[in-house]
Amino acid sequence: MVLMTLIAIGIFAFVSYINARHYVRFDFTSSGRFSISDKTKNILKGLQEPVTVTVLFNEGEMFFDGIMDILHEYEYQSDKISLVHIDPIRNPTKMRELTERVKAENIQINTVIVECGSKAKHVGQAEVIEKEFPFKFKGEEVFTAAILSVTEEKQTSIYITTGHGERGLEDYDRQGFSDIVTALKRDNFNVVPLDLMTRKEVPADCDVLIIAGPTKPFGSEEIALIRNYVDNKKGKLLVCLEPAFGPYTRTGLEGLLKEYNINVRTDAVIYNRVQLPFFGLQTVAEIYVNEERYPEHRITQDMKSINSVFFGACPVEGIPPTNDRPYQTKSLAMGPDNSWGETEIGIANKKPEFTQDKDIPGPIAIAATVEPVDTAAQAAVAHGSFPKELSVEGLRLAVFGDVDFVANEYSPNPGNHDIFLNSINWLTQKETKLGIS
């Protein structure tokens, strides 16, 4: 009996030793409450300065355990995170010290304070927990947003054009952009509308210019302003266009994008043939992208397991670089093999059907990016040799043949938010913010 006890003690001591030297945190809860997204993990691992997170929730408060669980996971993921819990009722002295440190007149209880250097962000209970049933817990999105707000030197400014029938930034209807604007602001982006005809320039602080689904053409003066921004300011441009029928028309941007080796076929709509339960083989304009339909790209490398959904998209074709146009394009999302680009669009009672030598055979790119070829690659243009990964600083473009995918109706699809936000972060070279949110 004594021998068995000694063996048990020895095994326990050995396991404890191994555990201390090789600690790994697992989430065995059915809800996955410890789990945080790859995107948050990347942000945490990229932290350069210490961040203190102080929890002022009472222990008996709803979701207290969930808040502490997820913040312990933040602390585990980065040695830059220090987690502190203060009971505001039992520790008035520490509350007073915290109030003085963050230079606040007063601090509400049931708050989380995130600090880095002289910056502090207060996250209230109403931000963490939705008050309406079923009381959704939003801890990760608000805590990560708070960390970004205190650790980034400056907000990235995104200007979104207006005046051409673009999607409304504050439009909460199905076709509006309110959801994605909220997501951008949560990721510490400053979102500003821009009327080029009134402003007569792309502002100097513009980090990304977005053109989202215009229904009216841009004038030649506006096109010149955009070209000047991209060429002379090494601008970052994201464009979402639609096939030119119904409310949409050719925008004048098609010619501009060709200057950077992107051919947006607004004269065609991408269709797909799918087998539907009870209905058999059907032709649909809804395109699901996942797994191998995401070509190798920094933007989508973590998205293989989730779907992006596009609706009524037009083809986006890359053009090979030349000496005059040394820009390398990369496809970002592809339609299925049996998809095609229908060129006879807007014809009443015309059933979409692939026609050889008239339509565009699949698979077809729905989105693509552009960046400069490096100097060595320029010299090799004549030989058709280009590097797979480019690190040259300069202009960057992301072009989508669809805008509906990021509108309120479709943006809740898991991959839609991610491919759009990742494109923004790729444009601004914020590599640590890439990932699945």
Side-chain angles (χ1 to χ4, degrees):
M1 183 69 180
V2 174
L3 179 61
M4 293 299 293
T5 302
L6 290 174
I7 291 173
I9 292 172
I11 292 173
F12 178 78
F14 177 73
V15 170
S16 299
Y17 172 77
I18 295 297
N19 218 22
R21 292 179 61 87
H22 302 282
Y23 173 68
V24 178
R25 185 178 176 87
F26 294 101
D27 181 6
F28 293 117
T29 62
S30 60
S31 63
R33 68 182 184 183
F34 289 137
S35 302
I36 57 177
S37 68
D38 291 339
K39 183 174 180 178
T40 290
K41 290 177 183 177
N42 290 338
I43 291 170
L44 293 173
K45 290 173 182 176
L47 292 177
Q48 301 297 316
E49 301 295 332
V51 174
T52 300
V53 181
T54 305
V55 178
L56 303 177
F57 277 72
N58 292 316
E59 292 187 16
E61 192 68 31
M62 181 185 291
F63 289 110
F64 171 80
D65 290 339
I67 290 169
M68 294 303 294
D69 285 343
I70 197 168
L71 289 175
H72 276 304
E73 183 66 16
Y74 278 51
E75 191 176 39
Y76 169 68
Q77 292 292 335
S78 173
D79 59 6
K80 299 295 184 182
I81 298 288
S82 297
L83 179 59
V84 178
H85 174 237
I86 298 176
D87 187 318
I89 305 301
R90 299 178 179 177
N91 295 290
T93 302
K94 289 186 178 180
M95 279 290 292
R96 188 163 51 251
E97 292 172 353
L98 176 63
T99 302
E100 293 174 358
R101 188 169 73 240
V102 300
K103 298 179 175 61
E105 292 184 6
N106 57 70
I107 297 176
Q108 294 182 340
I109 63 171
N110 295 333
T111 302
V112 175
I113 310 294
V114 180
E115 302 172 74
C116 181
S118 61
K119 294 182 180 180
K121 176 71 174 178
H122 299 228
V123 180
Q125 184 180 33
E127 297 175 74
V128 179
I129 306 159
E130 285 186 355
K131 288 299 183 181
E132 297 180 2
F133 186 81
F135 311 117
K136 179 184 176 185
F137 179 64
K138 303 189 295 182
E140 179 180 353
E141 62 185 73
V142 295
F143 296 148
T144 301
I147 290 170
L148 288 172
S149 70
V150 299
T151 56
E152 292 190 332
E153 292 184 10
K154 63 180 279 293
Q155 272 191 303
T156 299
S157 290
I158 295 176
Y159 283 81
I160 304 182
T161 63
T162 62
H164 313 87
E166 295 95 334
R167 299 301 171 94
L169 308 189
E170 298 181 0
D171 185 350
Y172 292 87
D173 289 339
R174 295 166 64 188
Q175 300 301 311
F177 248 42
S178 59
D179 284 356
I180 199 65
V181 169
T182 299
L184 288 167
K185 290 179 178 179
R186 190 172 60 235
D187 275 9
N188 201 36
F189 291 108
N190 179 36
V191 182
V192 186
L194 173 63
D195 187 332
L196 283 169
M197 288 305 296
T198 301
R199 190 71 179 258
K200 302 295 184 185
E201 66 173 354
V202 177
D205 68 336
C206 177
D207 295 302
V208 179
L209 178 64
I210 295 180
I211 303 172
T215 59
K216 299 175 183 177
F218 283 68
S220 58
E221 182 180 355
E222 294 173 298
I223 296 291
L225 292 173
I226 297 169
R227 181 186 294 110
N228 177 66
Y229 165 72
V230 174
D231 286 346
N232 298 329
K233 299 182 181 179
K234 296 182 179 179
K236 312 299 186 285
L237 177 65
L238 188 148
V239 180
C240 299
L241 295 182
E242 288 278 335
F245 78 102
Y248 296 94
T249 184
R250 289 182 63 82
T251 62
L253 296 168
E254 295 87 351
L256 175 67
L257 293 172
K258 273 190 178 180
E259 296 176 19
Y260 305 102
N261 294 335
I262 289 286
N263 182 25
V264 182
R265 293 289 303 270
T266 56
D267 62 334
V269 178
I270 301 174
Y271 284 99
N272 185 29
R273 299 277 282 173
V274 296
Q275 194 77 29
L276 297 178
F278 308 112
F279 294 97
L281 195 62
Q282 297 290 316
T283 299
V284 297
E286 202 167 57
I287 306 296
Y288 284 79
V289 177
N290 61 17
E291 297 180 353
E292 73 277 1
R293 297 292 93 192
Y294 294 118
E296 287 301 316
H297 200 294
R298 189 73 181 85
I299 290 172
T300 55
Q301 69 177 15
D302 296 325
M303 294 182 56
K304 306 295 185 181
S305 62
I306 59 175
N307 288 329
S308 295
V309 185
F310 299 87
F311 184 79
C314 56
V316 177
E317 302 171 342
I319 302 170
T322 64
N323 288 323
D324 293 332
R325 296 178 178 175
Y327 308 116
Q328 177 72 49
T329 64
K330 273 185 155 184
S331 295
L332 196 56
M334 303 291 296
D337 291 339
N338 56 350
S339 63
W340 78 95
E342 177 69 42
T343 56
E344 294 184 302
I345 59 177
I347 301 174
N349 301 320
K350 170 69 169 65
K351 182 180 179 180
E353 190 173 22
F354 177 70
T355 304
Q356 192 72 35
D357 300 327
K358 182 178 288 186
D359 293 330
I360 306 166
I364 297 173
I366 303 169
T369 61
V370 180
E371 60 183 327
V373 175
D374 65 18
T375 305
Q378 288 184 40
V381 164
H383 301 91
S385 175
F386 301 98
K388 292 182 179 180
E389 295 296 329
L390 304 169
S391 58
V392 172
E393 291 189 6
L395 65 87
R396 280 187 170 186
L397 282 71
V399 181
F400 292 84
D402 183 33
V403 70
D404 292 314
F405 82 99
V406 77
N408 296 339
E409 180 179 7
Y410 282 91
S411 65
N413 286 292
N416 289 30
H417 259 192
D418 289 328
I419 197 169
F420 187 84
L421 294 176
N422 281 357
S423 295
I424 298 289
N425 288 316
W426 176 83
L427 287 169
T428 56
Q429 296 179 305
K430 294 182 180 292
E431 307 296 326
T432 58
K433 292 174 73 173
L434 295 172
I436 300 173
S437 58

